[in-house]
Protein backbone atom coordinates (compact mmCIF):
# COMPACT_ATOMS: atom_id res chain seq x y z
CA UNK A 1 0.00 0.00 0.00
CA UNK A 2 1.26 3.41 -0.87
CA UNK A 3 -1.26 5.08 1.43
CA UNK A 4 -0.99 4.99 5.18
CA UNK A 5 -3.91 7.21 6.20
CA UNK A 6 -7.42 7.93 4.98
CA UNK A 7 -9.90 10.68 5.68
CA UNK A 8 -13.55 9.61 5.79
CA UNK A 9 -15.68 12.26 4.10
CA UNK A 10 -18.97 10.92 5.36
CA UNK A 11 -20.95 10.14 8.53
CA UNK A 12 -23.23 7.51 10.07
CA UNK A 13 -23.01 3.79 9.50
CA UNK A 14 -20.90 4.02 6.34
CA UNK A 15 -18.25 6.10 8.13
CA UNK A 16 -18.02 3.37 10.80
CA UNK A 17 -17.89 0.70 8.10
CA UNK A 18 -15.02 2.44 6.28
CA UNK A 19 -13.22 3.02 9.58
CA UNK A 20 -13.21 -0.71 10.35
CA UNK A 21 -11.91 -1.67 6.91
CA UNK A 22 -9.20 1.00 7.06
CA UNK A 23 -8.10 -0.07 10.55
CA UNK A 24 -7.96 -3.69 9.43
CA UNK A 25 -5.48 -2.58 6.77
CA UNK A 26 -3.44 -0.68 9.36
CA UNK A 27 -4.36 2.77 8.10
CA UNK A 28 -4.62 5.86 10.28
CA UNK A 29 -8.20 7.12 10.14
CA UNK A 30 -9.21 10.75 10.13
CA UNK A 31 -12.92 11.53 10.48
CA UNK A 32 -14.62 14.78 9.49
CA UNK A 33 -17.68 15.88 11.44
CA UNK A 34 -20.29 18.62 11.58
CA UNK A 35 -21.42 20.20 14.84
CA UNK A 36 -24.31 17.71 14.87
CA UNK A 37 -21.89 14.75 14.87
CA UNK A 38 -19.31 15.68 17.51
CA UNK A 39 -20.61 12.78 19.67
CA UNK A 40 -20.84 10.27 16.83
CA UNK A 41 -19.51 6.72 16.84
CA UNK A 42 -17.42 7.50 13.75
CA UNK A 43 -15.63 10.31 15.61
CA UNK A 44 -15.10 8.08 18.65
CA UNK A 45 -13.52 5.33 16.56
CA UNK A 46 -11.22 7.60 14.53
CA UNK A 47 -7.57 8.32 15.30
CA UNK A 48 -8.16 11.99 14.56
CA UNK A 49 -11.21 14.04 13.80
CA UNK A 50 -11.69 17.42 12.18
CA UNK A 51 -14.71 19.70 12.50
CA UNK A 52 -15.80 20.93 9.07
CA UNK A 53 -18.81 23.10 9.82
CA UNK A 54 -22.34 23.51 11.13
CA UNK A 55 -25.00 20.77 10.88
CA UNK A 56 -26.42 21.74 7.47
CA UNK A 57 -24.84 19.35 4.96
CA UNK A 58 -24.30 22.15 2.45
CA UNK A 59 -21.99 23.81 4.96
CA UNK A 60 -20.21 20.65 6.11
CA UNK A 61 -20.37 17.26 4.35
CA UNK A 62 -21.11 18.88 0.98
CA UNK A 63 -18.53 21.64 1.39
CA UNK A 64 -15.70 20.59 -0.94
CA UNK A 65 -13.28 23.29 0.20
CA UNK A 66 -13.80 22.45 3.89
CA UNK A 67 -13.38 18.69 3.41
CA UNK A 68 -10.26 19.02 1.25
CA UNK A 69 -8.73 21.54 3.67
CA UNK A 70 -9.42 19.17 6.58
CA UNK A 71 -7.77 16.29 4.74
CA UNK A 72 -4.69 18.36 3.90
CA UNK A 73 -4.38 19.74 7.43
CA UNK A 74 -4.61 16.24 8.94
CA UNK A 75 -2.02 14.87 6.54
CA UNK A 76 -4.35 12.32 4.93
CA UNK A 77 -2.98 10.32 2.01
CA UNK A 78 -6.42 9.43 0.69
CA UNK A 79 -10.09 10.39 0.97
CA UNK A 80 -12.96 7.87 1.04
CA UNK A 81 -16.28 9.53 0.15
CA UNK A 82 -18.70 6.73 1.21
CA UNK A 83 -22.13 7.08 -0.48
CA UNK A 84 -24.38 10.12 -0.89
CA UNK A 85 -22.88 13.56 -0.14
CA UNK A 86 -19.81 14.08 -2.39
CA UNK A 87 -19.37 10.43 -3.39
CA UNK A 88 -20.38 10.97 -7.02
CA UNK A 89 -19.11 14.51 -7.38
CA UNK A 90 -16.34 14.63 -10.01
CA UNK A 91 -15.32 18.15 -8.93
CA UNK A 92 -14.67 16.81 -5.44
CA UNK A 93 -12.60 13.90 -6.74
CA UNK A 94 -10.61 16.38 -8.83
CA UNK A 95 -10.06 18.71 -5.86
CA UNK A 96 -8.80 15.80 -3.75
CA UNK A 97 -6.35 14.78 -6.49
CA UNK A 98 -5.27 18.39 -7.13
CA UNK A 99 -4.42 18.68 -3.43
CA UNK A 100 -2.05 15.72 -3.80
CA UNK A 101 -4.21 12.98 -2.28
CA UNK A 102 -5.81 9.80 -3.59
CA UNK A 103 -9.55 9.73 -4.18
CA UNK A 104 -10.92 6.31 -3.20
CA UNK A 105 -13.06 5.67 -6.26
CA UNK A 106 -12.95 5.89 -10.02
CA UNK A 107 -11.27 8.73 -11.92
CA UNK A 108 -13.06 12.08 -12.14
CA UNK A 109 -13.57 11.41 -15.86
CA UNK A 110 -15.25 8.07 -15.17
CA UNK A 111 -17.46 9.66 -12.47
CA UNK A 112 -18.47 12.42 -14.87
CA UNK A 113 -19.17 10.05 -17.75
CA UNK A 114 -21.11 7.42 -15.78
CA UNK A 115 -22.79 9.93 -13.44
CA UNK A 116 -24.52 11.53 -16.40
CA UNK A 117 -27.30 8.99 -16.86
CA UNK A 118 -27.69 9.88 -20.54
CA UNK A 119 -23.97 9.55 -21.31
CA UNK A 120 -23.91 6.27 -19.36
CA UNK A 121 -26.81 4.94 -21.45
CA UNK A 122 -24.89 5.76 -24.60
CA UNK A 123 -21.76 4.05 -23.31
CA UNK A 124 -23.84 1.00 -22.36
CA UNK A 125 -25.20 0.82 -25.91
CA UNK A 126 -21.67 1.06 -27.33
CA UNK A 127 -20.58 -1.75 -25.00
CA UNK A 128 -23.45 -3.93 -26.26
CA UNK A 129 -25.48 -3.68 -23.04
CA UNK A 130 -29.26 -3.55 -23.60
CA UNK A 131 -30.84 -0.28 -22.40
CA UNK A 132 -34.48 0.65 -21.75
CA UNK A 133 -36.08 1.90 -25.00
CA UNK A 134 -36.04 5.68 -24.82
CA UNK A 135 -34.43 8.86 -26.05
CA UNK A 136 -30.98 8.65 -27.63
CA UNK A 137 -29.73 11.68 -25.74
CA UNK A 138 -30.94 14.61 -23.72
CA UNK A 139 -34.25 15.94 -24.97
CA UNK A 140 -34.07 19.42 -26.46
CA UNK A 141 -37.71 20.45 -26.02
CA UNK A 142 -41.30 19.33 -25.52
CA UNK A 143 -41.82 18.66 -29.24
CA UNK A 144 -38.97 16.18 -29.25
CA UNK A 145 -40.24 14.59 -26.02
CA UNK A 146 -43.68 14.08 -27.60
CA UNK A 147 -42.23 12.54 -30.76
CA UNK A 148 -40.12 10.08 -28.75
CA UNK A 149 -42.97 9.20 -26.37
CA UNK A 150 -45.26 8.42 -29.30
CA UNK A 151 -42.58 6.25 -30.82
CA UNK A 152 -41.80 4.19 -27.68
CA UNK A 153 -45.39 4.21 -26.41
CA UNK A 154 -46.97 5.34 -23.12
CA UNK A 155 -46.51 5.08 -20.21
CA UNK A 156 -43.06 6.63 -20.22
CA UNK A 157 -40.73 7.92 -17.53
CA UNK A 158 -39.23 11.38 -17.57
CA UNK A 159 -35.85 11.10 -15.86
CA UNK A 160 -33.29 13.71 -14.86
CA UNK A 161 -29.86 13.12 -16.45
CA UNK A 162 -28.25 14.09 -13.14
CA UNK A 163 -30.85 12.41 -10.89
CA UNK A 164 -30.21 10.02 -8.02
CA UNK A 165 -31.57 8.75 -4.74
CA UNK A 166 -34.94 7.97 -6.36
CA UNK A 167 -35.53 11.62 -7.15
CA UNK A 168 -36.05 13.31 -10.50
CA UNK A 169 -38.27 10.58 -11.98
CA UNK A 170 -41.89 10.97 -13.16
CA UNK A 171 -44.32 8.55 -14.75
CA UNK A 172 -46.33 9.98 -17.61
CA UNK A 173 -49.29 8.13 -19.14
CA UNK A 174 -50.44 10.43 -21.95
CA UNK A 175 -49.47 13.30 -24.26
CA UNK A 176 -51.46 15.74 -22.11
CA UNK A 177 -49.58 14.68 -18.99
CA UNK A 178 -46.29 14.94 -20.84
CA UNK A 179 -47.14 18.52 -21.87
CA UNK A 180 -47.83 19.41 -18.27
CA UNK A 181 -45.00 17.51 -16.59
CA UNK A 182 -42.09 18.09 -18.95
CA UNK A 183 -41.47 21.79 -18.12
CA UNK A 184 -42.00 21.09 -14.40
CA UNK A 185 -39.56 18.19 -14.47
CA UNK A 186 -36.92 20.31 -16.16
CA UNK A 187 -37.26 23.17 -13.66
CA UNK A 188 -37.16 20.72 -10.74
CA UNK A 189 -34.11 18.90 -12.05
CA UNK A 190 -32.29 22.20 -12.45
CA UNK A 191 -33.17 23.21 -8.89
CA UNK A 192 -32.36 19.81 -7.33
CA UNK A 193 -29.30 18.73 -9.32
CA UNK A 194 -28.04 21.95 -10.93
CA UNK A 195 -28.71 20.37 -14.33
CA UNK A 196 -32.12 20.58 -16.04
CA UNK A 197 -31.24 17.86 -18.58
CA UNK A 198 -33.99 15.25 -19.11
CA UNK A 199 -34.36 11.98 -20.98
CA UNK A 200 -37.20 9.55 -21.58
CA UNK A 201 -37.48 5.84 -20.93
CA UNK A 202 -40.31 3.44 -21.55
CA UNK A 203 -41.91 2.37 -18.28
CA UNK A 204 -41.00 -1.27 -17.71
CA UNK A 205 -44.03 -2.47 -15.73
CA UNK A 206 -43.72 -5.17 -13.07
CA UNK A 207 -39.96 -5.27 -13.52
CA UNK A 208 -37.47 -6.37 -10.92
CA UNK A 209 -34.48 -4.26 -9.91
CA UNK A 210 -31.29 -6.27 -10.24
CA UNK A 211 -27.81 -4.80 -10.04
CA UNK A 212 -24.31 -6.13 -10.54
CA UNK A 213 -21.44 -5.33 -8.21
CA UNK A 214 -18.22 -4.69 -10.11
CA UNK A 215 -14.63 -4.09 -9.02
CA UNK A 216 -11.98 -2.59 -11.27
CA UNK A 217 -8.35 -1.59 -10.95
CA UNK A 218 -8.22 0.56 -14.09
CA UNK A 219 -7.00 -2.39 -16.16
CA UNK A 220 -9.12 -5.33 -15.19
CA UNK A 221 -12.79 -5.51 -14.19
CA UNK A 222 -14.54 -8.37 -12.39
CA UNK A 223 -18.13 -8.82 -11.22
CA UNK A 224 -19.23 -10.06 -7.81
CA UNK A 225 -22.64 -11.27 -8.98
CA UNK A 226 -25.94 -9.51 -8.48
CA UNK A 227 -28.24 -8.15 -5.81
CA UNK A 228 -31.98 -7.81 -6.18
CA UNK A 229 -33.52 -4.62 -4.77
CA UNK A 230 -37.11 -4.78 -5.97
CA UNK A 231 -38.67 -3.95 -2.61
CA UNK A 232 -38.72 -0.17 -2.86
CA UNK A 233 -40.75 2.75 -1.60
CA UNK A 234 -40.74 5.91 -3.68
CA UNK A 235 -38.04 4.33 -5.84
CA UNK A 236 -35.77 3.94 -2.81
CA UNK A 237 -34.58 0.55 -1.73
CA UNK A 238 -35.98 -0.87 1.50
CA UNK A 239 -34.86 -4.52 1.42
CA UNK A 240 -32.09 -6.00 -0.71
CA UNK A 241 -30.94 -9.53 -1.26
CA UNK A 242 -28.63 -11.71 -3.25
CA UNK A 243 -28.55 -13.67 -5.38
CA UNK A 244 -31.79 -12.79 -7.17
CA UNK A 245 -34.30 -15.64 -7.02
CA UNK A 246 -35.64 -14.62 -10.41
CA UNK A 247 -32.53 -15.08 -12.55
CA UNK A 248 -31.93 -18.31 -14.46
CA UNK A 249 -28.22 -19.21 -14.56
CA UNK A 250 -27.77 -18.27 -18.22
CA UNK A 251 -29.36 -14.84 -17.73
CA UNK A 252 -27.20 -14.27 -14.64
CA UNK A 253 -24.12 -15.03 -16.68
CA UNK A 254 -25.08 -12.62 -19.49
CA UNK A 255 -26.14 -9.93 -17.04
CA UNK A 256 -22.92 -10.06 -15.03
CA UNK A 257 -20.74 -10.14 -18.14
CA UNK A 258 -22.57 -7.11 -19.55
CA UNK A 259 -21.68 -5.17 -16.39
CA UNK A 260 -18.05 -6.17 -16.80
CA UNK A 261 -18.12 -5.05 -20.46
CA UNK A 262 -19.47 -1.66 -19.41
CA UNK A 263 -16.90 -1.33 -16.62
CA UNK A 264 -14.11 -2.13 -19.08
CA UNK A 265 -15.45 0.43 -21.56
CA UNK A 266 -15.27 3.06 -18.81
CA UNK A 267 -11.76 2.04 -17.64
CA UNK A 268 -13.36 1.49 -14.25
CA UNK A 269 -11.41 1.60 -11.02
CA UNK A 270 -12.77 0.84 -7.54
CA UNK A 271 -16.18 -0.52 -6.55
CA UNK A 272 -19.21 0.26 -8.68
CA UNK A 273 -22.72 -0.95 -9.34
CA UNK A 274 -24.44 -1.40 -12.67
CA UNK A 275 -28.21 -1.25 -12.22
CA UNK A 276 -30.77 -2.97 -14.45
CA UNK A 277 -34.46 -3.68 -14.69
CA UNK A 278 -35.29 -7.33 -15.30
CA UNK A 279 -38.51 -8.58 -16.87
CA UNK A 280 -38.94 -12.07 -15.46
CA UNK A 281 -41.63 -12.93 -17.99
CA UNK A 282 -39.64 -12.21 -21.15
CA UNK A 283 -36.23 -12.82 -19.57
CA UNK A 284 -34.97 -9.45 -20.87
CA UNK A 285 -32.81 -7.11 -18.83
CA UNK A 286 -32.25 -3.40 -19.42
CA UNK A 287 -29.46 -1.20 -18.14
CA UNK A 288 -30.66 1.85 -16.14
CA UNK A 289 -27.62 3.46 -14.50
CA UNK A 290 -24.21 3.09 -12.86
CA UNK A 291 -23.44 4.15 -9.30
CA UNK A 292 -19.74 5.02 -9.14
CA UNK A 293 -19.31 4.40 -5.41
CA UNK A 294 -19.80 1.92 -2.62
CA UNK A 295 -23.49 1.14 -2.38
CA UNK A 296 -25.64 1.10 0.75
CA UNK A 297 -26.43 -2.58 0.19
CA UNK A 298 -22.84 -3.74 -0.45
CA UNK A 299 -22.88 -6.07 2.63
CA UNK A 300 -25.26 -8.41 0.78
CA UNK A 301 -22.48 -9.09 -1.72
CA UNK A 302 -19.90 -9.42 1.04
CA UNK A 303 -22.00 -12.08 2.79
CA UNK A 304 -22.48 -14.21 -0.34
CA UNK A 305 -18.93 -13.88 -1.74
CA UNK A 306 -16.78 -13.50 1.37
CA UNK A 307 -15.11 -10.43 -0.14
CA UNK A 308 -14.55 -7.20 1.80
CA UNK A 309 -15.50 -4.59 -0.77
CA UNK A 310 -14.34 -1.59 1.26
CA UNK A 311 -10.94 -3.16 1.87
CA UNK A 312 -10.74 -3.86 -1.85
CA UNK A 313 -11.51 -0.20 -2.59
CA UNK A 314 -8.75 0.97 -0.25
CA UNK A 315 -6.21 -1.48 -1.66
CA UNK A 316 -7.02 -0.46 -5.23
CA UNK A 317 -6.72 3.22 -4.22
CA UNK A 318 -3.29 2.38 -2.82
CA UNK A 319 -2.26 1.19 -6.27
CA UNK A 320 -2.70 -2.55 -5.88
CA UNK A 321 -4.17 -4.65 -8.68
CA UNK A 322 -7.41 -6.56 -8.01
CA UNK A 323 -6.72 -9.18 -5.34
CA UNK A 324 -9.13 -11.69 -6.90
CA UNK A 325 -9.59 -13.19 -10.32
CA UNK A 326 -13.08 -13.71 -11.70
CA UNK A 327 -12.98 -17.48 -11.27
CA UNK A 328 -12.09 -17.06 -7.58
CA UNK A 329 -15.32 -15.16 -6.86
CA UNK A 330 -18.02 -17.64 -5.96
CA UNK A 331 -21.55 -17.46 -4.64
CA UNK A 332 -22.32 -19.07 -1.32
CA UNK A 333 -25.83 -19.20 0.15
CA UNK A 334 -28.22 -16.28 0.32
CA UNK A 335 -28.20 -12.89 2.10
CA UNK A 336 -30.89 -10.32 2.87
CA UNK A 337 -30.40 -6.75 4.08
CA UNK A 338 -33.10 -4.71 5.84
CA UNK A 339 -32.63 -0.95 5.95
CA UNK A 340 -33.69 0.24 9.38
CA UNK A 341 -34.70 3.88 9.27
CA UNK A 342 -35.75 6.38 11.92
CA UNK A 343 -39.18 6.70 10.34
CA UNK A 344 -42.66 5.94 11.59
CA UNK A 345 -44.41 3.42 9.29
CA UNK A 346 -47.72 4.33 10.97
CA UNK A 347 -47.34 7.98 9.99
CA UNK A 348 -46.50 7.59 6.31
CA UNK A 349 -42.82 7.02 7.14
CA UNK A 350 -42.30 10.42 8.66
CA UNK A 351 -38.65 10.84 9.70
CA UNK A 352 -38.36 10.65 13.47
CA UNK A 353 -35.06 11.74 14.99
CA UNK A 354 -34.53 11.43 18.75
CA UNK A 355 -32.85 9.52 21.55
CA UNK A 356 -32.01 5.79 21.38
CA UNK A 357 -33.14 4.51 24.81
CA UNK A 358 -32.41 0.83 24.38
CA UNK A 359 -30.46 -1.14 21.81
CA UNK A 360 -30.12 -4.92 21.78
CA UNK A 361 -28.60 -6.24 18.59
CA UNK A 362 -29.31 -9.89 17.78
CA UNK A 363 -26.17 -11.97 17.41
CA UNK A 364 -25.37 -15.30 15.88
CA UNK A 365 -23.75 -16.97 12.93
CA UNK A 366 -24.49 -15.13 9.70
CA UNK A 367 -26.01 -12.06 11.40
CA UNK A 368 -24.47 -8.62 10.86
CA UNK A 369 -25.66 -5.18 11.89
CA UNK A 370 -23.92 -2.19 10.29
CA UNK A 371 -24.67 0.88 12.35
CA UNK A 372 -23.35 3.97 14.09
CA UNK A 373 -25.87 3.73 16.95
CA UNK A 374 -25.23 3.32 20.66
CA UNK A 375 -27.57 3.50 23.63
CA UNK A 376 -28.16 7.12 24.60
CA UNK A 377 -27.22 8.42 21.16
CA UNK A 378 -29.40 11.21 19.87
CA UNK A 379 -30.22 10.75 16.17
CA UNK A 380 -29.89 14.24 14.68
CA UNK A 381 -32.62 15.60 12.39
CA UNK A 382 -30.34 16.93 9.66
CA UNK A 383 -29.44 13.88 7.60
CA UNK A 384 -30.68 10.68 5.98
CA UNK A 385 -32.83 8.61 8.36
CA UNK A 386 -30.86 5.35 7.96
CA UNK A 387 -30.06 3.97 11.45
CA UNK A 388 -28.48 0.73 10.45
CA UNK A 389 -28.64 -2.28 8.20
CA UNK A 390 -29.44 -5.78 9.40
CA UNK A 391 -27.83 -8.33 7.10
CA UNK A 392 -28.50 -12.04 7.47
CA UNK A 393 -26.79 -14.88 5.65
CA UNK A 394 -28.22 -18.38 5.28
CA UNK A 395 -27.36 -21.55 3.41
CA UNK A 396 -30.25 -20.83 1.04
CA UNK A 397 -33.08 -18.31 0.83
CA UNK A 398 -35.47 -20.25 3.10
CA UNK A 399 -32.76 -20.62 5.75
CA UNK A 400 -31.90 -16.93 5.38
CA UNK A 401 -35.56 -15.89 5.83
CA UNK A 402 -35.93 -18.10 8.90
CA UNK A 403 -32.82 -16.56 10.47
CA UNK A 404 -34.01 -13.10 9.54
CA UNK A 405 -37.37 -13.63 11.28
CA UNK A 406 -35.63 -14.78 14.41
CA UNK A 407 -33.10 -11.91 14.29
CA UNK A 408 -35.90 -9.36 13.88
CA UNK A 409 -37.83 -10.91 16.77
CA UNK A 410 -34.77 -10.52 18.99
CA UNK A 411 -34.06 -6.94 17.97
CA UNK A 412 -34.71 -4.23 20.55
CA UNK A 413 -34.41 -0.66 19.38
CA UNK A 414 -36.50 1.65 21.53
CA UNK A 415 -36.84 5.39 21.97
CA UNK A 416 -37.92 6.37 18.49
CA UNK A 417 -40.15 4.74 15.89
CA UNK A 418 -38.29 2.69 13.28
CA UNK A 419 -39.01 0.60 10.22
CA UNK A 420 -38.28 -2.63 12.13
CA UNK A 421 -42.03 -3.57 12.26
CA UNK A 422 -42.21 -3.18 8.48
CA UNK A 423 -39.35 -5.62 8.03
CA UNK A 424 -40.88 -8.11 10.47
CA UNK A 425 -44.11 -8.01 8.46
CA UNK A 426 -42.26 -8.37 5.16
CA UNK A 427 -40.24 -11.30 6.47
CA UNK A 428 -43.52 -13.01 7.43
CA UNK A 429 -45.28 -12.34 4.12
CA UNK A 430 -45.99 -15.33 1.83
CA UNK A 431 -45.36 -13.38 -1.41
CA UNK A 432 -42.03 -12.16 -0.07
CA UNK A 433 -41.20 -15.72 0.97
CA UNK A 434 -42.00 -16.86 -2.56
CA UNK A 435 -39.86 -14.06 -4.01
CA UNK A 436 -42.93 -12.97 -5.98
CA UNK A 437 -42.36 -9.22 -6.20
CA UNK A 438 -41.45 -6.34 -8.51
CA UNK A 439 -40.52 -2.68 -8.04
CA UNK A 440 -44.10 -1.57 -7.36
CA UNK A 441 -44.96 -4.48 -5.06
CA UNK A 442 -44.09 -2.80 -1.76
CA UNK A 443 -46.16 0.34 -2.37
CA UNK A 444 -49.27 -1.71 -3.14
CA UNK A 445 -48.54 -4.02 -0.22
CA UNK A 446 -48.24 -1.05 2.13
CA UNK A 447 -51.75 0.03 1.14
CA UNK A 448 -53.31 -3.41 1.43
CA UNK A 449 -51.45 -6.06 3.45
CA UNK A 450 -49.58 -3.88 5.92
CA UNK A 451 -50.92 -2.14 8.94
CA UNK A 452 -48.28 -0.61 11.16
CA UNK A 453 -50.40 -1.36 14.24
CA UNK A 454 -50.64 -5.10 13.65
CA UNK A 455 -47.02 -5.22 12.48
CA UNK A 456 -45.94 -3.89 15.86
CA UNK A 457 -47.42 -7.01 17.41
CA UNK A 458 -45.51 -9.20 14.95
CA UNK A 459 -42.32 -7.36 15.91
P1 LIG B 1 -27.90 2.86 -3.17
O1 LIG B 1 -28.01 3.02 -4.65
O2 LIG B 1 -26.54 2.67 -2.61
O3 LIG B 1 -28.91 1.96 -2.65
P2 LIG B 1 -29.37 5.15 -2.48
O4 LIG B 1 -30.07 5.40 -3.76
O5 LIG B 1 -30.14 4.72 -1.31
O6 LIG B 1 -28.14 4.24 -2.68
O7 LIG B 1 -28.53 6.43 -2.12
C1 LIG B 1 -27.57 6.41 -1.12
C2 LIG B 1 -27.54 7.73 -0.47
O8 LIG B 1 -27.12 8.69 -1.40
C3 LIG B 1 -28.87 8.18 0.04
O9 LIG B 1 -28.65 8.91 1.21
C4 LIG B 1 -29.39 9.04 -1.08
O10 LIG B 1 -30.31 9.97 -0.59
C5 LIG B 1 -28.12 9.68 -1.56
N1 LIG B 1 -28.06 10.02 -2.99
C6 LIG B 1 -27.83 9.20 -4.02
N2 LIG B 1 -27.75 9.88 -5.17
C7 LIG B 1 -27.94 11.16 -4.88
C8 LIG B 1 -27.95 12.38 -5.64
N3 LIG B 1 -27.75 12.41 -6.95
N4 LIG B 1 -28.19 13.52 -4.99
C9 LIG B 1 -28.39 13.51 -3.67
N5 LIG B 1 -28.36 12.43 -2.90
C10 LIG B 1 -28.14 11.27 -3.49
P1 LIG C 1 -31.83 6.69 -9.22
O1 LIG C 1 -30.68 7.33 -9.93
O2 LIG C 1 -32.70 7.66 -8.52
O3 LIG C 1 -31.41 5.52 -8.41
P2 LIG C 1 -32.75 4.82 -11.25
O4 LIG C 1 -32.67 5.17 -12.69
O5 LIG C 1 -31.74 3.88 -10.71
O6 LIG C 1 -32.75 6.16 -10.41
O7 LIG C 1 -34.20 4.26 -10.94
C1 LIG C 1 -34.63 4.09 -9.61
C2 LIG C 1 -35.83 3.16 -9.59
O8 LIG C 1 -36.90 3.69 -10.40
C3 LIG C 1 -35.58 1.78 -10.19
O9 LIG C 1 -35.03 0.89 -9.24
C4 LIG C 1 -36.99 1.37 -10.58
O10 LIG C 1 -37.76 0.95 -9.48
C5 LIG C 1 -37.57 2.66 -11.09
N1 LIG C 1 -37.35 2.84 -12.54
C6 LIG C 1 -36.33 3.51 -13.13
N2 LIG C 1 -36.42 3.47 -14.47
C7 LIG C 1 -37.53 2.75 -14.75
C8 LIG C 1 -38.20 2.36 -15.96
N3 LIG C 1 -37.76 2.72 -17.16
N4 LIG C 1 -39.34 1.61 -15.85
C9 LIG C 1 -39.82 1.26 -14.64
N5 LIG C 1 -39.24 1.60 -13.48
C10 LIG C 1 -38.12 2.34 -13.51
MG1 LIG D 1 -30.48 3.82 -9.05
Amino acid sequence: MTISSVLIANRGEIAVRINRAAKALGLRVIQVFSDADADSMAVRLADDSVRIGPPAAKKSYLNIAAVVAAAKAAGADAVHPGYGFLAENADFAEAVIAAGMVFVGPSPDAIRLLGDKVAARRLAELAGVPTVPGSGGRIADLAEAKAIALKIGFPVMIKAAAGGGGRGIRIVASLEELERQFPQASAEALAAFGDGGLYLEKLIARARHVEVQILGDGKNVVHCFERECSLQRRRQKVWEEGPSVALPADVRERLCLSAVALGRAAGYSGAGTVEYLYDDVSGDFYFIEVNTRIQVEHPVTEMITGLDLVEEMLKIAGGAPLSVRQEQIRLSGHAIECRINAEDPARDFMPWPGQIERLVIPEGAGIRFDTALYEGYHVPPFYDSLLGKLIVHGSDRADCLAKLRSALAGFELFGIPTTLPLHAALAADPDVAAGAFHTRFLETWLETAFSAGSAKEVA
Side-chain angles (χ1 to χ4, degrees):
M1 290 272 272
T2 55
I3 56 175
S4 59
S5 59
V6 62
L7 175 126
I8 301 172
N10 214 297
R11 64 177 304 283
E13 67 86 19
I14 195 64
V16 171
R17 168 74 188 90
I18 298 165
N19 178 301
R20 298 214 162 103
K23 290 277 178 74
L25 293 174
L27 301 179
R28 183 168 73 94
V29 173
I30 305 124
Q31 178 64 50
V32 297
F33 65 97
S34 75
D35 290 333
D37 287 333
D39 63 346
S40 72
M41 179 77 93
V43 167
R44 271 199 214 175
L45 294 174
D47 297 302
D48 283 308
S49 55
V50 187
R51 177 191 175 270
I52 46 166
K58 271 205 160 64
K59 297 189 166 163
S60 50
Y61 299 104
L62 287 171
N63 183 339
I64 294 178
V67 175
V68 174
K72 277 313 278 180
D77 295 330
V79 174
H80 196 307
Y83 55 70
F85 297 125
L86 297 170
E88 289 171 280
N89 186 314
D91 293 341
F92 176 59
E94 245 160 25
V96 167
I97 295 164
M101 297 174 289
V102 176
F103 179 78
V104 183
S107 68
D109 284 347
I111 298 174
R112 219 165 253 136
L113 175 66
L114 297 170
D116 178 333
K117 295 171 84 172
V118 172
R121 256 171 77 86
R122 216 173 292 129
L123 185 69
E125 280 158 15
L126 287 174
V129 180
T131 56
V132 182
S135 51
R138 289 173 181 234
I139 296 169
D141 52 28
L142 180 61
E144 191 190 349
K146 284 174 156 176
I148 294 164
L150 286 173
K151 204 175 101 206
I152 60 179
F154 288 99
V156 298
M157 274 185 156
I158 309 178
K159 299 175 85 170
R167 298 177 309 141
I169 298 180
R170 290 162 186 245
I171 300 172
V172 170
S174 66
L175 270 182
E176 297 73 57
E177 269 183 49
L178 185 62
E179 273 170 12
R180 213 164 1 96
Q181 301 242 24
F182 190 81
Q184 284 178 19
S186 182
E188 255 184 42
L190 185 63
F193 312 112
D195 174 354
L198 299 178
Y199 65 109
L200 284 193
E201 270 180 11
K202 190 170 177 59
L203 179 97
I204 309 291
R206 303 183 73 85
R208 306 173 79 110
H209 176 115
V210 291
E211 56 184 37
V212 179
Q213 176 70 54
I214 60 168
L215 281 175
D217 59 12
K219 290 197 180 86
N220 209 353
V221 177
V222 295
H223 71 80
C224 314
F225 297 98
E226 84 283 3
R227 298 180 288 258
E228 170 158 3
C229 321
S230 297
L231 295 176
Q232 306 181 351
R233 191 178 157 269
R234 298 191 175 158
R235 288 184 275 280
Q236 286 187 334
K237 299 157 188 165
V238 169
W239 156 310
E240 301 103 340
E241 57 181 279
S244 166
V245 283
L247 283 188
D250 60 322
V251 180
R252 168 170 301 119
E253 172 85 1
R254 278 189 286 121
L255 177 85
C256 293
L257 291 181
S258 82
V260 170
L262 181 53
R264 291 223 167 98
Y268 203 83
S269 177
T273 299
V274 186
E275 296 190 335
Y276 301 82
L277 292 174
Y278 175 59
D279 179 337
D280 59 10
V281 178
S282 70
D284 294 322
F285 58 83
Y286 308 90
F287 165 86
I288 48 173
E289 68 156 342
V290 181
N291 292 317
T292 57
R293 54 171 164 89
I294 192 72
Q295 200 110 349
V296 174
E297 58 275 23
H298 75 275
V300 166
T301 299
E302 296 184 328
M303 298 292 253
I304 56 176
T305 62
L307 290 167
D308 186 315
L309 294 170
V310 182
E311 275 191 24
E312 282 297 321
M313 292 177 88
L314 290 166
K315 287 187 205 159
I316 293 163
L322 287 175
S323 72
V324 277
R325 291 193 310 276
Q326 186 65 66
E327 59 272 21
Q328 294 173 309
I329 305 173
R330 296 195 186 275
L331 279 180
S332 164
H334 194 92
I336 296 174
E337 171 182 279
C338 300
R339 294 195 192 194
I340 297 161
N341 291 319
E343 294 170 4
D344 189 351
R347 289 187 180 78
D348 197 29
F349 295 86
M350 191 193 288
W352 209 286
Q355 181 110 359
I356 305 297
E357 307 289 357
R358 183 170 165 76
L359 177 63
V360 178
I361 299 167
E363 284 174 50
I367 297 175
R368 166 173 169 184
F369 188 53
D370 277 22
T371 192
L373 294 186
Y374 54 86
E375 270 183 15
Y377 176 65
H378 190 97
V379 178
F382 310 103
Y383 312 106
D384 195 277
S385 62
L386 185 68
L387 293 172
K389 308 175 308 202
L390 175 66
I391 311 106
V392 174
H393 182 249
S395 57
D396 57 21
R397 193 165 184 271
D399 179 48
C400 183
L401 272 169
K403 270 191 183 163
L404 176 62
R405 285 186 211 107
S406 123
L408 286 165
F411 214 117
E412 295 181 30
L413 207 180
F414 299 135
I416 52 175
T418 75
T419 53
L420 273 166
L422 166 71
H423 287 294
L426 277 174
D429 185 88
D431 286 328
V432 173
F437 41 62
H438 51 79
T439 55
R440 303 298 291 279
F441 171 91
L442 180 57
E443 285 176 355
T444 312
W445 182 89
L446 282 168
E447 282 163 18
T448 52
F450 177 67
S451 108
S454 63
K456 277 197 179 101
E457 284 150 36
V458 177

